[in-house]
Amino acid sequence: MTIATAQACVNIALIKYWGKRDETLHLPTNNSISLTLNELYSTTSVAFEPDLPEDIYWRDGHPRNGEEAFKVTRFLDLVRNQAQIEHRARVITRNTVPTAAGLASSASGFAALAAAASKAAGISTAANDLSCLARRGSGSACRSVFGGFVEWQKGQREDGADSHGVPLSNLNGWELRLVVTQLSSAPKERSSRDGMRDTVNTSPFYAGWLASIDDDLIAARKAIARQDLPALGTTAERNALKMHATMLGAEPPFTYWLPASVAAMRTVWDLRKRGVPAWLTMDAGPNVKVLTTEHHTQAISQALRETPGVEGVVVCTPGPGVRWLDTPLEA
């Protein structure tokens, strides 16, 4: 029996993916660009054991059942199929990020699971292979296999073999920071998957969103290459708000925003009016993330902590790709 342990960080998309051309394989309708974050991560240990009657899944010190455990088993079946084994697995996971609260826990979770399970099963742990595998658990997980800025190529192949993350930059000393607000740690009422499907199928704004993506991708790539924070921040904020606008056009309309989300957004805009370089982004959840530089994190963090409804603030640095650890987790 081989036990493997891997750690993967969350990533926050600056140019979003919203919509799938294949829901089963999690193939996106557009490319996306993200930043991997060091302070928010998942650590997972996997062991395939011949005597287990079923997969056993523990997260954050508690056994998990139902839909959450089913997703893990369904993912492990992909690994078992590749490795041509039938053994059930013992999986233990610990997160530093709330699950299903719009803070990309599924990205770090499935990237760590893909890495640990692949190593434990003896199949390829090459980065592109891991990225494609992690994507099958959660689309954005393919980006968490890599560190720094990552572009998820939507790909053209029907089997998804060319849809994976590609590193864009090692940041080269750029003191970039992402200030992450936690407005709610409660699970979302509507999953990203359901919200995405409803938007694609019913929102008249979706076609406009999709048509604008290529220009945003080009602008973001150029800004990253030049280390131009105002250009990157402006593009990322515009892209996020356009994505959320498509949800308001869905039938029925919906939003992931809370009153505290709007308050935090106003805080960011007020800071920028006062000359503080701060640009916001939001995923499919209520929490606001703020792109800035190391020098301004204290002022931004203080202003956000004073914003009604903000429960916590974490200053995040750019993070690494998947890492394997020597010490396995214990339930």
Side-chain angles (χ1 to χ4, degrees), residues 263-291:
M265 292 163 66
R266 290 188 175 277
T267 295
V268 174
W269 292 333
D270 288 343
L271 284 165
R272 202 158 70 229
K273 287 179 183 177
R274 301 203 303 268
V276 178
W279 290 268
L280 66 88
T281 187
M282 297 178 68
D283 294 314
N287 301 296
V288 175
K289 297 92 173 175
V290 186
L291 194 64

Side-chain angles (χ1 to χ4, degrees), residues 301-320:
S301 297
Q302 180 178 343
L304 288 169
R305 287 190 180 99
E306 294 171 353
T307 301
V310 174
E311 297 179 357
V313 175
V314 180
V315 177
C316 294
T317 56

Side-chain angles (χ1 to χ4, degrees), residues 37 39-40 96 178-182 290 301 305 312-317:
L37 305 181
E39 285 72 18
L40 302 173
T96 65
L178 201 70
V179 181
V180 178
T181 65
Q182 186 174 315
V290 186
S301 297
R305 287 190 180 99
V313 175
V314 180
V315 177
C316 294
T317 56

